Amino acid sequence: MKIYDLRSDTITKPSEAMRKAIYNAECGDDVYMEDPTVNKLQKMAAEITGKEKAIFVSSGTMGNLIPMMILGRKNKQVLLEEESHIVHYELGGASSLAGIMPLTVKADRGILTKDIIKNYIKEQPYYMSSVSIVEVENSHNRHGGSVYPIEVLKELYDFTKSKNIHLHMDGARVFNASIASKKSVKEIASNTDSITFCLSKGLGAPMGAMICGNKDFIDEAFSIRKLIGGGMRQIGLMAAACIYALEHNIQSLEEDHQKAKKIAKAIIESKIGTINLENVETNIVIADTKEPSSNILSKLSEQGIKASSFGDYKIRFVTHRDISMEETEEVCSIIKKL
């Protein structure tokens, strides 16, 4: 039986061309900062985001943890949306390793605004914890790939700057957000103090993420990376895959967004669930279901479709480069028959 794996865009396999890039990679010892391919990747990432410097880390989780460890103190808080990746999928690293307390707030479609956070940003007496970091997620996974409007992000950043608070972006899928909003990654990142983005999701690399920020911030990130066991040696092999992804795989994300729209329409037509089509901005589809999600996932699995439960009555599909447009049409046909 043919399998259509739509659980996540992390399941992509390196293409033949990417594997050749890995094979041909020039390597050195990255702990000595002597791996030329890693150095090239870090320079590319800084240029793409418009930041002074970048560091290559093993994962998006590490990419979010290191900024928390740099900026967090045991009497401080990170303010973030309640459905954030940091809250749900990073094993409490912000509190257990960075020593900073998450302060979660509710926001429509996961989009924090100045009006939402302003009441949490205030001077506190010495016996109360205060916010030192605001974290935003763009696009937002658990809100169906929602994207920050640039004007909302800019207002938020201007406000945090005025309060001397660091704004960090979990931009794991920021290239999806860039394509959907028709704003460059550089423009998006210009409204942050630091940004993390992943190479191992829609861009198709086997591993890796980048943290980008000012020189002092990234210099400290190198020390923290080593502290938590992230110092890597001849990692140019993987950096070569990431460079290939940045050079060749960004534009195909637009097609992934089109695939997501098709699946969302099929869900609506089949009446197995409900979804606001206007909210499908990127490559993530989250639908509310009429019967338990486990029942629907079982029926889909019988037809070779793998999706995820996002609650007792929610299912998620994530489109990616390893499921073609033709295969997406096949998935839609199956869904319509349920």
Side-chain angles (χ1 to χ4, degrees):
M1 181 173 60
K2 188 170 185 178
I3 300 298
Y4 309 87
D5 196 337
L6 292 158
R7 290 171 298 170
S8 177
D9 48 6
T10 60
I11 61 93
T12 56
K13 305 289 196 305
S15 65
E16 189 62 31
M18 183 180 283
R19 289 173 183 270
K20 288 180 180 177
I22 294 170
Y23 179 82
N24 291 319
E26 186 180 357
C27 296
D29 189 324
D30 186 48
V31 172
Y32 289 118
M33 300 185 182
E34 293 176 356
D35 189 302
T37 310
V38 173
N39 293 341
K40 177 181 177 181
L41 172 62
Q42 290 172 166
K43 184 178 179 182
M44 284 179 68
E47 290 172 352
I48 288 168
T49 58
K51 299 300 186 186
E52 290 180 349
K53 202 168 181 181
I55 180 173
F56 184 38
V57 296
S58 64
S59 68
T61 296
M62 185 181 285
N64 288 328
L65 175 62
I66 288 175
M68 299 298 130
M69 293 182 73
I70 293 172
L71 298 159
R73 297 200 302 277
K74 294 185 184 300
N75 64 335
K76 294 296 183 181
Q77 299 171 326
V78 51
L79 190 155
L80 66 176
E81 201 275 328
E82 64 181 7
E83 296 292 341
S84 296
H85 193 279
I86 287 177
V87 174
H88 287 271
Y89 303 113
E90 299 183 8
L91 287 169
S95 56
S96 63
L97 297 176
I100 190 167
M101 182 172 72
L103 173 61
T104 61
V105 298
K106 188 178 183 64
D108 184 43
R109 304 202 65 231
I111 306 299
L112 294 179
T113 65
K114 173 188 171 183
D115 288 340
I116 290 173
I117 74 165
K118 64 183 180 183
N119 293 328
Y120 298 91
I121 309 296
K122 52 191 174 185
E123 290 292 326
Q124 299 282 27
Y126 77 91
Y127 50 82
M128 293 182 69
S129 182
S130 60
V131 173
S132 62
I133 311 168
V134 171
E135 185 268 349
V136 296
E137 186 174 328
N138 193 26
S139 66
H140 200 301
N141 176 20
R142 287 179 64 88
H143 283 281
S146 58
V147 174
Y148 267 80
I150 197 71
E151 61 276 8
V152 172
L153 183 61
K154 185 179 189 309
E155 183 181 45
L156 188 66
Y157 183 49
D158 288 344
F159 177 71
T160 56
K161 275 199 303 184
S162 73
K163 300 296 183 180
N164 198 31
I165 289 171
H166 188 101
L167 182 67
H168 173 71
M169 177 176 284
D170 174 358
R173 296 181 175 90
V174 73
F175 290 93
N176 294 89
S178 171
I179 287 173
S181 64
K182 296 181 171 56
K183 302 295 181 182
S184 69
V185 170
K186 183 177 290 188
E187 183 175 359
I188 293 170
S190 71
N191 294 291
T192 69
D193 292 301
S194 60
I195 179 171
T196 292
F197 67 81
C198 287
L199 288 309
S200 58
K201 292 186 168 69
L203 295 181
M207 63 157 283
M210 309 302 300
I211 312 172
C212 309
N214 66 40
K215 182 181 181 301
D216 290 343
F217 183 81
I218 299 300
D219 284 346
E220 189 164 357
F222 275 95
S223 295
I224 300 295
R225 184 183 72 174
K226 181 66 174 172
L227 171 68
I228 59 177
M232 300 177 281
R233 301 296 178 174
Q234 288 71 37
I235 200 61
L237 295 169
M238 290 297 98
C242 296
I243 290 171
Y244 182 90
L246 290 172
E247 290 179 340
H248 297 93
N249 293 352
I250 293 173
Q251 289 309 311
S252 64
L253 297 176
E254 171 61 35
E255 188 172 281
D256 292 340
H257 299 177
Q258 295 169 13
K259 297 170 193 171
K261 285 279 191 184
K262 287 180 179 293
I263 290 174
K265 289 176 182 176
I267 290 169
I268 293 169
E269 186 175 330
S270 72
K271 299 182 181 178
I272 63 168
T274 58
I275 185 168
N276 185 341
L277 198 58
E278 291 183 1
N279 289 345
V280 183
E281 297 180 85
T282 54
N283 66 322
I284 300 175
V285 179
I286 297 179
D288 296 305
T289 60
K290 296 180 180 180
E291 61 178 288
S293 57
S294 58
N295 292 356
I296 293 175
L297 291 176
S298 178
K299 293 174 183 177
L300 290 168
S301 180
E302 289 172 3
Q303 302 296 318
I305 298 173
K306 293 184 178 182
S308 303
S309 171
F310 255 51
D312 291 341
Y313 290 88
K314 280 185 186 294
I315 54 174
R316 185 187 78 159
F317 299 82
V318 184
T319 57
H320 51 80
R321 60 187 306 102
D322 282 8
I323 300 291
S324 68
M325 187 65 78
E326 181 181 353
E327 289 170 320
T328 302
E329 296 284 4
E330 293 168 5
V331 167
C332 291
S333 179
I334 293 168
I335 290 173
K336 290 175 186 177
K337 292 175 183 177
L338 288 183

